[in-house]
Amino acid sequence: SPTAPGPRDRSAMDVEFRISPAVAERSDRVVVRGFEVGELSGAADRVVVPSDSEVREALALRGTTLENLSVRPPISEWRSAVARCGLKPSRFKSSAEALARRWLSGAGVVTPLRIVDLYCAVSAMHLAPLAAYDLDRLPAPVIELRLADPANDTFEPLGGRPADMPLSDKVAVYASGSTVLCYAYNHRDSSVSCLTSATERAIFFGEALSETQDALLTVALDDLRERLVAAGATAGSLRST
């Protein structure tokens, strides 16, 4: 009889996103949007990453400053969502807020991977949280936005310690099976599924909990998709759950 495919044997994988009722009930609107990308390694060195000045100009055009960042939608809405996880929003910032703060403070983001630099810059420009996972490193072809299961879930935070991000049944996470892929909606990704220099196929996505967030997320994903295709990657159509 045929053997079930392993984690790195899914050439035809189409990731399924699910949103649990427990998370959906927390907000009037919950949507996950994203697209899959192939031939990523060949495009990795050709992507055009927005300059620091471009990112800061985009934020300035939105009237976003360090002083008002935390109190203006969509960031204030993310802070409320994190608070509903039983976490302190000023400590467990959404990725969109954390990235925007870096550029507004003059730091920016530079990593060993230009693809990561790209989606971080696009995320900051549009104030929309974006994630990217290596399709061949996912534990299963299903990603669910749900509440954490402390008794069974495991989490290996990228660049962080598990003890600093405790799992509780109040915290909304992305998970594939019992493996947590992202903590507190979009606060911190897992080292299990992150992009690497060898990543060939990936999924880029984000979530929104309001109309304001959804509008920004859609624009951000369209922007990112266009930049990846221009660099030679193949990209599927934008999907939503």
Side-chain angles (χ1 to χ4, degrees), residues 4 18 25 32 90 95 129 149 153 158 192 204 218 230 234 239:
R18 299 173 184 169
E25 290 167 0
V32 176
S90 60
S95 61
D149 180 357
D153 286 346
L158 183 64
V192 170
F204 293 85
T218 301
T234 59
R239 299 189 288 123

Side-chain angles (χ1 to χ4, degrees), residues 33-37 48 50 62 118-119 122-123 125-126 128-130 204-206 213-231 235-240:
R33 301 190 188 279
F35 59 91
E36 295 181 19
V37 172
V48 177
R62 298 184 187 280
L118 171 63
Y119 82 78
V122 171
S123 174
M125 290 172 69
H126 299 289
L130 298 176
F204 293 85
F205 68 96
Q213 291 180 350
D214 197 10
L216 294 172
L217 174 63
T218 301
V219 172
L221 287 168
D222 285 342
D223 185 0
L224 178 61
R225 186 178 183 279
E226 289 178 5
R227 293 173 186 269
L228 290 169
V229 170
S237 58
L238 190 64
R239 299 189 288 123
S240 62

Side-chain angles (χ1 to χ4, degrees), residues 104-118:
L104 289 170
S105 66
V109 170
V110 178
T111 75
L113 300 178
R114 286 180 62 81
I115 294 291
V116 174
D117 295 345
L118 171 63

